[in-house]
Amino acid sequence: MKQTKELFIEALNKEKDPKKAKFFPRFFKTGPGEYGEGDQFLGVTVPIQRMIAKQFAQSLSLEDLQSLITSPFHEVRLATLFVLILKFQLKKATEEDQKAIVQFYLKNTKYINNWDLVDASADKILGEYYFQKDKSTILKLKNSKDLWENRIIILSTFYWIRKGHFTETISLCEFFLNHPHDLIHKATGWMLREIGKRDLNILIRFLNAHVTKMPRTMLRYAIEKLPPSERRKWLDLK
């Protein structure tokens, strides 16, 4: 039987949990004025979403995914992104296939609108695709007024960090020093921490240059893996 988008939604609905559906809106800050305002939940866990995505990855088209990514339900959008990642990573995926997936992603950033949606997908699609390409198009996201596009660009660099390439991440962390939202402070601090795990000297240079200007959350995330005495030293300089 052909795996259709209707069956995809049906499979997710079969796994919904009312208790989790009640808890998730609080966890993902969906109240009035919060960053996830208005989002809706089925109550399906991430492992189940991944399992369903794997079942449907080869049969769903980008046209199908375009319909699914606009769903009002958080889990449908996240599971759609899992399908998109799997399609991007297929061994038989051509450069044109991957380019189409990247274009799809960039066209639909308004639906990639919570931290877990961004964190699960940005590095695996945009990060990988642009690693050895001209990055000017994607780096423009730093200038966006949209919180999630800002987080998408900084999280995309996680792929580059894992490849030992830190230049763009450092530049973005400097650019976002005065960003108003703590979700960007957390993301930049996290990426700095990942750089420090690979090259501590680069992290220390960044801290020496910017510790007094860094948001405290950004600093705490960046120094999380340092020895306690070292962490205290940096926090005292703040």
Side-chain angles (χ1 to χ4, degrees), residues 93-124:
T94 65
E95 169 70 19
E96 284 304 306
D97 292 334
Q98 292 187 329
K99 182 179 180 180
I101 289 168
V102 166
Q103 290 173 338
F104 175 99
Y105 193 98
L106 291 172
K107 184 178 74 172
N108 287 288
T109 54
K110 65 181 176 181
Y111 304 113
I112 306 170
N113 56 353
N114 212 310
W115 58 264
D116 62 322
L117 303 175
V118 173
D119 298 3
S121 61
D123 63 315
K124 296 173 183 64

Side-chain angles (χ1 to χ4, degrees), residues 7-186:
L7 289 173
F8 181 76
I9 293 173
E10 183 180 320
L12 287 167
N13 273 303
K14 284 180 179 177
E15 300 292 343
K16 62 186 180 182
D17 181 331
K19 289 184 179 179
K20 288 184 172 62
K22 189 175 181 179
F23 167 74
F24 287 159
R26 297 195 300 273
F27 184 74
F28 288 104
K29 308 296 185 185
T30 65
E34 294 182 312
Y35 58 73
E37 182 176 357
D39 208 354
Q40 300 178 50
F41 290 82
L42 298 171
V44 183
T45 64
V46 168
I48 291 174
Q49 291 175 53
R50 289 186 184 277
M51 178 186 70
I52 292 171
K54 191 172 183 180
Q55 294 169 1
F56 284 80
Q58 295 199 44
S59 59
L60 293 177
S61 66
L62 287 184
E63 184 178 359
D64 294 327
L65 297 183
Q66 183 59 60
S67 173
L68 293 167
I69 196 68
T70 65
S71 171
F73 290 101
H74 189 102
E75 294 95 335
V76 176
R77 300 197 307 282
L78 182 53
T80 299
L81 290 169
F82 289 146
V83 171
L84 201 66
I85 293 165
L86 290 168
K87 293 178 82 67
F88 184 88
Q89 295 174 341
L90 282 174
K91 289 183 179 179
K92 65 180 183 181
T94 65
E95 169 70 19
E96 284 304 306
D97 292 334
Q98 292 187 329
K99 182 179 180 180
I101 289 168
V102 166
Q103 290 173 338
F104 175 99
Y105 193 98
L106 291 172
K107 184 178 74 172
N108 287 288
T109 54
K110 65 181 176 181
Y111 304 113
I112 306 170
N113 56 353
N114 212 310
W115 58 264
D116 62 322
L117 303 175
V118 173
D119 298 3
S121 61
D123 63 315
K124 296 173 183 64
I125 295 177
L126 300 186
E128 180 171 349
Y129 183 77
Y130 282 103
F131 176 54
Q132 293 183 314
K133 293 181 173 65
D134 175 21
K135 298 175 176 58
S136 57
T137 297
I138 186 177
L139 287 171
K140 290 177 183 176
L141 293 178
K142 73 180 184 180
N143 298 309
S144 173
K145 300 301 183 184
D146 182 78
L147 164 67
W148 304 116
E149 289 193 340
N150 296 160
R151 189 163 173 118
I152 283 169
I153 182 53
I154 190 66
L155 261 294
S156 293
T157 73
F158 197 5
Y159 184 89
W160 310 339
I161 291 170
R162 291 197 297 270
K163 295 293 185 179
H165 188 85
F166 311 136
T167 305
E168 287 82 9
T169 311
I170 293 295
S171 178
L172 287 167
C173 288
E174 291 172 338
F175 183 83
F176 286 135
L177 278 170
N178 296 313
H179 197 284
H181 207 291
D182 75 333
L183 283 174
I184 300 302
H185 305 165
K186 291 175 181 178

Side-chain angles (χ1 to χ4, degrees), residues 222-235:
I223 64 177
E224 188 176 24
K225 296 300 182 181
L226 299 182
S229 59
E230 185 82 355
R231 293 202 304 271
R232 175 47 53 193
K233 181 191 81 171
W234 291 110
L235 288 170

Side-chain angles (χ1 to χ4, degrees), residues 180-218:
H181 207 291
D182 75 333
L183 283 174
I184 300 302
H185 305 165
K186 291 175 181 178
T188 49
W190 173 16
M191 293 302 101
L192 287 169
R193 183 178 74 225
E194 292 298 327
I195 289 173
K197 286 161 62 175
R198 294 159 174 83
D199 192 326
L200 183 58
N201 289 331
I202 293 178
L203 172 59
I204 297 302
R205 284 203 300 271
F206 187 95
L207 294 174
N208 277 321
H210 302 296
V211 65
T212 60
K213 301 189 291 283
M214 292 171 71
R216 197 168 184 85
T217 298
M218 181 181 180

